[in-house]
């Protein structure tokens, strides 16, 4: 069973967030620890924990996360310059909040690839 997370509290307005978009199925708000000049999180209101937990019945809302990302990019004027959308899954993916979310990063050229070999020191 999915446990409530801090994102459920944002959906329920129990804690504040800088909300930039909302409809019946999706909410988008600023990331509290931005990794780019624009860093938004787009989440389904349904509490899906990880990419592994997406079911066929969720395909519509998961697709909607992407159309909302593109709408925000167009509305905020960075669609043509470009941006990145990312979903992290579980520990190796760097997921820390177990409520599905699409990161939308923009506002500067973004580095790639994200993986860097850790240098082990004696
Ligand atoms: P991830 O590591 O992919 O699970 O991403 C979780 C993101 O949620 C991180 O980028 C955090 O900075 C962000 N975050 C955590 N708590 C909050 C919050 N209360 N409001 C906005 N963003 C948050």
């Amino acid at each position: 069973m999915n446990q409530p997370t801090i994102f459920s509290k944002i959906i329920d307005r129990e804690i504040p967030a800088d909300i930039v978009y909302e409809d019946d199925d999706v909410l988008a708000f600023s990331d509290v620890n931005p990794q780019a000049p624009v860093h938004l999180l787009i989440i389904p209101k349904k509490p899906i924990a990880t990419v592994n937990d997406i079911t066929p019945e969720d395909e519509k809302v998961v697709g909607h996360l992407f159309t909302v990302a593109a709408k925000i990019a167009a509305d905020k004027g960075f669609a043509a310059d470009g941006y990145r959308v990312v979903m992290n899954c579980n520990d190796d993916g760097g997921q820390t909040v177990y409520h599905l979310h699409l990161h939308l990063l923009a506002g500067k050229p973004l580095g790639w690839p994200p993986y860097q070999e850790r240098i082990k020191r004696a």
Side-chain angles (χ1 to χ4, degrees):
M1 198 177 85
N2 290 328
Q3 298 299 315
T5 68
I6 197 153
F7 291 173
S8 302
K9 293 183 178 177
I10 290 175
I11 293 166
D12 294 339
R13 305 303 203 269
E14 290 172 19
I15 62 168
D18 174 34
I19 293 170
V20 299
Y21 177 88
E22 181 170 22
D23 63 28
D24 287 346
D25 301 312
V26 161
L27 191 69
F29 50 92
S30 299
D31 195 295
V32 77
N33 183 23
Q35 302 300 312
V38 177
H39 187 174
L40 304 173
L41 301 171
I42 307 167
I43 69 171
K45 290 187 176 176
K46 178 180 176 180
I48 303 163
T50 79
V51 172
N52 292 336
D53 301 295
I54 297 169
T55 66
E57 74 178 23
D58 299 325
E59 286 174 2
K60 190 171 175 190
V61 72
V62 173
H64 191 44
L65 300 177
F66 287 87
T67 54
V68 168
K71 174 178 168 38
I72 292 171
D75 289 351
K76 291 190 174 291
F78 57 77
D81 282 343
Y83 54 95
R84 181 169 298 153
V85 284
V86 177
M87 260 185 209
N88 298 325
C89 183
N90 282 340
D91 285 348
D92 281 1
Q95 185 171 7
T96 58
V97 178
Y98 283 78
H99 181 126
L100 196 74
H101 49 281
L102 190 64
H103 293 261
L104 170 54
L105 300 134
K108 67 174 184 182
L110 300 163
W112 190 264
Y115 172 75
Q116 290 182 327
E117 189 71 57
R118 285 191 190 132
I119 299 167
K120 289 188 179 149
R121 296 177 197 280

